[in-house]
Amino acid sequence: MAAQFGRRLCKGAATTAVAAVAVAALSASQAPGVNDHGRQAAADATPSPDASASDGSATGNSPYYTDLPPLNSPSPSPSTGTGPATPGTSEAGIPATVLDAYKKAEAALRDAKPGCNLPWQLLAAIGRVESGQARGGRVNAEGTTISPILGPQLDGNGFALIKDTDNGAYDGNSTYDQAVGPMQFIPSTWAWAGRDANGDGKKDPNNIYDAALAAGHYLCRFNWDLSDQKDLDRAILSYNNSREYLNLVMRWLEYYRKGTHEIPDGTGTLPDNRSDNGAGANPGPSTPSTPGRPAAGGSKPKPSPPAKPGGGGTTKPKPPATPPSTPPSTPPGSPSTPPSPPATPTDTVHHLEDAGTAKLTAMAGDTFTKRISTRAETKAGKAVAKVRIRFTIVGDTDTTFTGGESVATVATNSSGVAVAPALQAGEKTGDVTVRATVVGRMVAGLDYTATVTERAADALARTGDAALTCTPGGEFANQVEVKATYKGAVADGVAATATLIKSADDPTANDKGPFFKDADGKAVRTLTGLKTDAKGLLKLPKLYADDTTGTFLLRITTEGGATLTVELTVAAAGTSSPSPSASPSA
């Protein structure tokens, strides 16, 4: 088996540098060059300049397992198998339920966001790095982990500082956040990214089906195309903003692409230093002697080395022990007050203010041309930069942000302003509420109203100029077809009404002359519920004539005020007819 680097590391910690050198050395020895998909190897993959500028991450940049794939690539294996793994391929085995969750998530994203091109092997690579495939597949029949998988508390001590955002609902910690579940989402990210993939009515970060689908949607936001290396880099770095993390995930992605197979749940290969033997995460009640889950290498877990001063390792650094002869730092009986963590920009936010958002209006199906801008301020009204603002679309609506999400998190700039992504109007009309809140701080939210109006047209025109004539008691040879436009562009899905009116000055329905027929063959002179097609076209049903002769008017109106009046002539055979005409008006 290849050398394993089981310690969970944190970006920026002292021991990370040592592990990164080792990772780089082994990565170089395994460099596969360009793969079958035309991508560069992970060691050569360079993220785009803005890839590392992520304003957040799925995991809060929590620690992760740094085990590398074996030097020998796996041979393609069947999708199922119950026999023992052959040497060199055991790491390629993925527990059955976990593998099923990844593949189901890929299928769901193929339908929901086909342009993303999410491969399930990417979910497998992230799942391996984040939790060792749910600790070797220790999940129940529904895909929920036997015990919770928790990362260390993000208290700013060797890790990021993320104060509690869920009142301990997901991680059991009401002081600081911790990454949760097999895909290691922090609660504030799970609050908007969570999904119910198994249909049990819950969005559970400890369920591999829910977590895998959530990870897929998270990686597919911003219209990223994961078949493009730059977008793939951006997506992985947005999950955990570390170059070493990107390289490691790419290693496992390429490894799984070359072959994998299904193994029984609970028998997956685990990292050397697991989360339940002092690696900095809370594993729950499992023990190394759990049946079907041997310790790595088949031996007892090794004790974790003590954390070194200056950070690093995977647990909160502890100060060196005070020698017994050293006098106490405070007089006996004095209360001991733990030092308060330093204030963060988020701690200084007192309120949110609108930053000049214009009126938000768009027709159904269109993208809003204006965007929401929110400013974070102190009590004194000063701007607060580098604060995460969450924009949430609330209520019963199909309006989303571009990319299909209902939640977006944006960091404030140097002026304290966060600009939300553009809104994409759905088909439901009316007012939509977008709420801006501060991530990690309980201050009053700020609500914005966006209005979705009916699809409209401002012009109508006939598509042909054939005469619309008929003999008494007959039917018109030509059907009326019109095209609707709005500001010169095709107006699709626009509601329209067609009425045979009494006169140009009296728009009420006529009681004689031409008529349409309903489903029962009865005469009707008003048609409602009509809509233009994708090309803006509307073709009316056939028209018929009673025995009244003369010139009659057909008026077509649309949402938005476009109107077209068309002349119809009913005359006896051999009688000359006037030239056809149509009178549009807006």
Side-chain angles (χ1 to χ4, degrees), residues 66-134:
T66 59
D67 299 52
L68 287 168
L71 293 173
N72 296 324
S73 298
S75 300
S77 305
S79 59
T80 59
T82 57
T86 58
T89 64
S90 58
E91 288 83 354
I94 299 177
T97 300
V98 177
L99 180 60
D100 184 56
Y102 296 152
K103 291 186 175 181
K104 279 185 167 58
E106 179 198 58
L109 267 298
R110 190 184 304 123
D111 292 334
K113 297 182 179 179
C116 177
N117 295 305
L118 171 77
W120 65 260
Q121 291 92 339
L122 175 59
L123 298 176
I126 291 175
R128 170 72 193 201
V129 170
E130 293 295 344
S131 68
Q133 308 298 21

Side-chain angles (χ1 to χ4, degrees), residues 227-538:
S227 65
D228 178 84
Q229 185 65 49
K230 289 184 179 180
D231 279 358
L232 179 61
D233 289 350
R234 292 186 183 99
I236 296 173
L237 285 169
S238 78
Y239 211 89
N240 193 311
N241 194 4
S242 161
R243 176 61 193 228
E244 290 77 18
Y245 183 88
L246 168 64
N247 289 347
L248 189 59
V249 169
M250 283 298 302
R251 282 289 165 209
W252 281 106
L253 170 59
E254 299 304 330
Y255 183 77
Y256 285 133
R257 273 184 168 145
K258 292 174 182 175
T260 187
H261 58 280
E262 177 185 297
I263 60 175
D265 289 345
T267 64
T269 302
L270 306 178
D272 283 349
N273 289 332
R274 301 171 306 176
S275 57
D276 60 348
N277 66 356
N282 179 4
S286 60
T287 64
S289 59
T290 303
R293 183 171 178 255
S299 59
K300 295 181 179 179
K302 300 176 183 178
S304 299
K308 296 181 180 180
T314 57
T315 59
K316 181 178 179 180
K318 298 179 181 179
T322 304
S325 59
T326 303
S329 58
T330 56
S334 298
S336 176
T337 304
S340 300
T344 65
T346 300
D347 295 329
T348 67
V349 177
H350 179 265
H351 60 272
L352 295 176
E353 290 285 346
D354 176 46
T357 303
K359 185 177 181 180
L360 300 166
T361 303
M363 287 194 301
D366 287 353
T367 300
F368 284 75
T369 57
K370 307 297 182 182
R371 295 166 68 180
I372 295 171
S373 297
T374 301
R375 175 180 159 100
E377 297 184 353
T378 65
K379 188 175 183 180
K382 293 184 178 180
V384 185
K386 298 181 180 180
V387 172
R388 290 182 296 161
I389 304 298
R390 180 179 297 130
F391 298 95
T392 305
I393 300 172
V394 298
D396 181 18
T397 179
D398 55 354
T399 292
T400 64
F401 293 110
T402 51
E405 302 293 346
S406 60
V407 178
T409 302
V410 181
T412 56
N413 60 20
S414 58
S415 300
V417 175
V419 180
L423 287 165
Q424 176 68 44
E427 294 302 320
K428 292 182 179 179
T429 59
D431 289 342
V432 177
T433 298
V434 181
R435 182 165 299 149
T437 55
V438 181
V439 176
R441 183 150 176 85
M442 298 295 290
V443 298
L446 190 61
D447 285 355
Y448 295 84
T449 299
T451 302
V452 180
T453 62
E454 294 280 357
R455 293 173 182 259
D458 57 13
L460 283 173
R462 280 191 67 192
T463 59
D465 56 4
L468 298 171
T469 62
C470 182
T471 57
E475 67 177 52
F476 287 79
N478 299 305
Q479 291 177 248
V480 178
E481 183 181 65
V482 298
K483 182 174 183 178
T485 55
Y486 183 78
K487 295 182 179 179
V490 167
D492 62 312
V494 177
T497 299
T499 305
L500 291 151
I501 59 176
K502 289 184 177 180
S503 69
D505 298 324
D506 185 355
T508 58
N510 208 337
D511 55 2
K512 58 184 177 180
F515 59 90
F516 300 105
K517 287 184 179 180
D518 63 13
D520 297 325
K522 294 181 180 179
V524 291
R525 291 185 169 86
T526 299
L527 297 178
T528 59
L530 305 172
K531 278 194 175 183
T532 59
D533 64 14
K535 296 180 179 180
L537 300 176
L538 173 63

